[in-house]
Amino acid sequence: MRETVAEADEKESRFALALAPELAVGLRHMTTEAQPSHKPQRGQPCPCGSGQLFETCCEPILSGAVKAPSAERLMRARFVAHVSHNFEFLHHSYLPDAHKPYVVEEGEPAIVWTRLEVHGHETDVGGNPDKSYVDFSAYGTEDKIEKVLHEKAEFLRKNGQWFYNREARLGPAPVKSSAPKVGRNDPCPCGSGKKYKQCCLGKA
């Protein structure tokens, strides 16, 4: 039986970096060509950009020696897993797939992940301590062209362990205007001398 589009998309989700499917182009297209080796090395800075050495940062989480203490630490470890092609870790740290058997796939992703910037880490505004969000930008190259994914990702903690759950927002946060709100009866900002409701309000 041929694989449906939905089944194919579900299979691709195991490689989610906290990645939006429509931007995970490099992960959708597997290649048999040899990719540059970016395996993290002890004694060198961790690829997640924390500024710490690999062996004191993401290595213990990737090896299973310790659990990620926060959603941000899991996000960083998942990025390093992409860098090093540790797809089994990605599979088991992605909540929808975590309890399914891991199946090895042939080929390598076409995109080479190079650096991560974490813009913010916040807990659920509703007060749920087991839900957190990480706002990040992941950079990579494909065919010598740099690509960037900016996402706000949702993480959930189950039985004391953090998992990536879903994309909460794709792209940067909307820019909020700092200009004061104009009332209906205030003078119109356009300078016409009329009230806002009699001038530009209907055009807004």
Side-chain angles (χ1 to χ4, degrees):
M1 180 182 294
R2 294 188 62 184
E3 187 178 58
T4 66
V5 173
E7 290 170 337
D9 286 342
E10 182 179 359
K11 181 181 294 184
E12 287 161 2
S13 71
R14 75 186 54 189
F15 297 119
L17 167 68
L19 286 176
E22 60 268 35
L23 284 190
V25 178
L27 300 182
R28 287 175 177 260
H29 298 98
M30 306 295 282
T31 177
T32 56
E33 296 180 3
Q35 298 294 324
S37 175
H38 294 284
K39 186 176 180 180
Q41 301 293 328
R42 287 189 162 197
Q44 295 184 359
C46 190
C48 78
S50 66
Q52 301 179 42
L53 295 178
F54 173 58
E55 61 266 30
T56 61
C57 189
C58 289
E59 184 185 35
I61 298 173
L62 292 168
S63 68
V66 300
K67 295 180 180 178
S70 67
E72 180 181 341
R73 290 293 301 277
L74 178 59
M75 177 67 241
R76 291 182 180 279
R78 283 178 58 82
F79 178 81
V80 178
H82 271 282
V83 171
S84 58
H85 295 182
N86 186 346
F87 301 128
E88 186 169 5
F89 179 85
L90 295 170
H91 175 90
H92 290 300
S93 60
Y94 175 55
L95 189 57
D97 284 350
H99 301 295
K100 299 177 184 178
Y102 171 67
V103 179
V104 178
E105 293 189 10
E106 296 181 359
E108 296 181 348
I111 194 166
V112 176
W113 296 103
T114 55
R115 59 191 174 98
L116 174 71
E117 292 182 9
V118 175
H119 307 299
H121 176 204
E122 60 188 44
T123 55
D124 179 49
V125 292
N128 182 355
D130 295 322
K131 180 187 291 187
S132 287
Y133 298 90
V134 179
D135 193 325
F136 70 94
S137 291
Y139 294 81
T141 58
E142 182 179 7
D143 296 329
K144 298 181 180 181
I145 299 175
E146 184 175 68
K147 297 184 177 182
V148 59
L149 170 71
H150 191 156
E151 181 184 335
K152 182 178 181 179
E154 180 186 87
F155 292 80
L156 299 177
R157 183 165 52 187
K158 301 289 184 181
N159 299 319
Q161 184 173 349
W162 284 102
F163 296 89
Y164 164 58
N165 187 45
R166 68 181 182 91
E167 165 206 319
R169 187 197 68 236
L170 179 62
V175 178
K176 294 182 180 180
S177 175
S178 59
K181 186 176 180 180
V182 181
R184 289 173 55 83
N185 292 312
D186 291 339
C188 190
C190 75
S192 65
K194 298 180 181 179
K195 291 183 178 181
Y196 181 49
K197 66 181 179 182
Q198 298 171 335
C199 190
C200 293
L201 176 60
K203 304 175 185 178

